[in-house]
Amino acid sequence: MSFIQTTSTEKGKNLQLYYEDYGEGQPVILIHGWPLSGQMWEYQVEEIVNAGYRCITYDRRGFGKSDRPWSGYDYDTLAKDLNDLITKLGLTDAIIVGFSMGGGEVARYIGNYGTSKLAKAALVSAVPPFMLKTDDNPEGLERDVFEGFKKEIRKDRPGFLAGFGKKFLNFEDHTDTISEDLAHFYWSIACSASPKATVDCVDSFGLTDFREDLKKIDIPTLVVHGDADQIVPLELSGKKSNEILSQSTYEVIPDAPHGLVLTHTRKFNDLLLKFLKN
């Protein structure tokens, strides 16, 4: 197992992030969704490495095997963690791929640190540009949606995650491609996360405005979204991100849910590998 020490501290100790690093070549960093870990990329890592790339996954603070601080789940801090990873590993010409909440790290990292160490980026079922309904974002979700998430998590976290997982996969529509065992495995990953991190990240992905960050992305960017996403609706996220980005490749996968990396693995992997190579 591998860990990096970040520049963040709690109680006098540097926070550690768990990561896995395979292959040689141009680095591809895979950033997981909420409330999962780097394990969610199991069906992408092998293909990326076999295609000639160095593939790096890491666990966001509070999730997977990384340290579990009590605070620091805002996107500025999460982007700093990503910057620490890139800096400590000496990465250049990197490609960063963010799924769902991880798309926020992609956007905020570039918004705060630029693209000098990057070649490309990808937003997959991602939360940018802005999930919350406001006067200038009338299609967004009401704040009560996110408050409801937090209330249910605090009441019965495993139960909430079970219901969330069904919507994550549109499970009843994809029993031909997803087994109950695989869905349960993802539930178990989610249950292993820090309860505090699970709650705090709801505000992070639900209330953070990434519109100005997206305007700063000056590298080729892949946007992949399913048109049956019940978690992060296409019209609110992927479609709008594509309209803001200056160099985007926009791919909508028909009938795909939020968790398209599982239900539409072959289609998604082909799109990602094509983007990496071109």
Side-chain angles (χ1 to χ4, degrees), residues 31-37 40 60-63 73 75 78 99-103 105 125 127 146 148-150 152-153 157 160-161 164-165 168 186 189-190 193-206 231-232 258:
I31 308 168
H32 66 83
W34 173 91
L36 301 169
S37 73
M40 69 155 282
R60 180 182 294 111
R61 61 168 60 204
F63 298 84
Y73 297 102
Y75 268 106
L78 298 177
F99 173 82
S100 192
M101 181 179 178
E105 271 113 324
S125 302
V127 297
F146 306 110
F149 276 18
K150 293 189 293 182
E152 290 303 314
I153 292 167
R157 188 167 60 96
F160 168 84
L161 293 173
F164 180 84
F168 183 95
Y186 265 52
I189 297 173
S194 155
K196 180 66 160 52
T198 302
V199 169
D200 284 6
C201 283
V202 173
D203 281 346
S204 297
F205 68 71
I231 304 296
V232 182
H258 190 63

Side-chain angles (χ1 to χ4, degrees), residues 18 20 30-46 55 57-60 63-65 97-103 124-125 168-169 182 185-190 192 258-263 265 268-269 272:
Y18 174 81
E20 297 184 3
L30 303 179
I31 308 168
H32 66 83
W34 173 91
L36 301 169
S37 73
Q39 284 185 289
M40 69 155 282
W41 298 107
E42 177 177 347
Y43 302 102
Q44 283 71 49
V45 171
E46 182 178 6
C55 188
T57 64
Y58 74 97
D59 294 346
R60 180 182 294 111
F63 298 84
K65 300 183 181 74
V97 180
F99 173 82
S100 192
M101 181 179 178
V124 183
S125 302
F168 183 95
L169 297 171
L182 187 54
F185 174 60
Y186 265 52
W187 173 85
S188 70
I189 297 173
S192 72
H258 190 63
L260 55 83
V261 299
L262 274 183
T263 59
T265 305
F268 170 69
N269 287 2
L272 180 60

Side-chain angles (χ1 to χ4, degrees), residues 130 132-139 211:
F130 192 20
L132 181 67
K133 182 177 182 178
T134 59
D135 289 343
D136 65 349
N137 192 44
E139 300 88 2
R211 289 175 290 189

Side-chain angles (χ1 to χ4, degrees), residues 37 77 94 109-111 160 162 165 200 222 230 235 249 253 257 266 271:
S37 73
T77 303
Y109 170 83
I110 293 175
F160 168 84
D200 284 6
L222 174 66
Q230 297 187 60
E235 296 295 320
T249 299
I253 301 180
R266 181 73 271 136
L271 289 172

Side-chain angles (χ1 to χ4, degrees), residues 234-274:
L234 170 66
E235 296 295 320
L236 176 60
S237 51
K239 183 176 184 292
K240 287 191 173 185
S241 289
N242 177 60
E243 293 169 354
I244 296 172
L245 292 164
S246 61
Q247 301 182 54
S248 62
T249 299
Y250 184 45
E251 301 283 355
V252 177
I253 301 180
D255 302 319
H258 190 63
L260 55 83
V261 299
L262 274 183
T263 59
H264 292 69
T265 305
R266 181 73 271 136
K267 177 64 175 177
F268 170 69
N269 287 2
D270 287 346
L271 289 172
L272 180 60
L273 290 172
K274 180 182 177 181

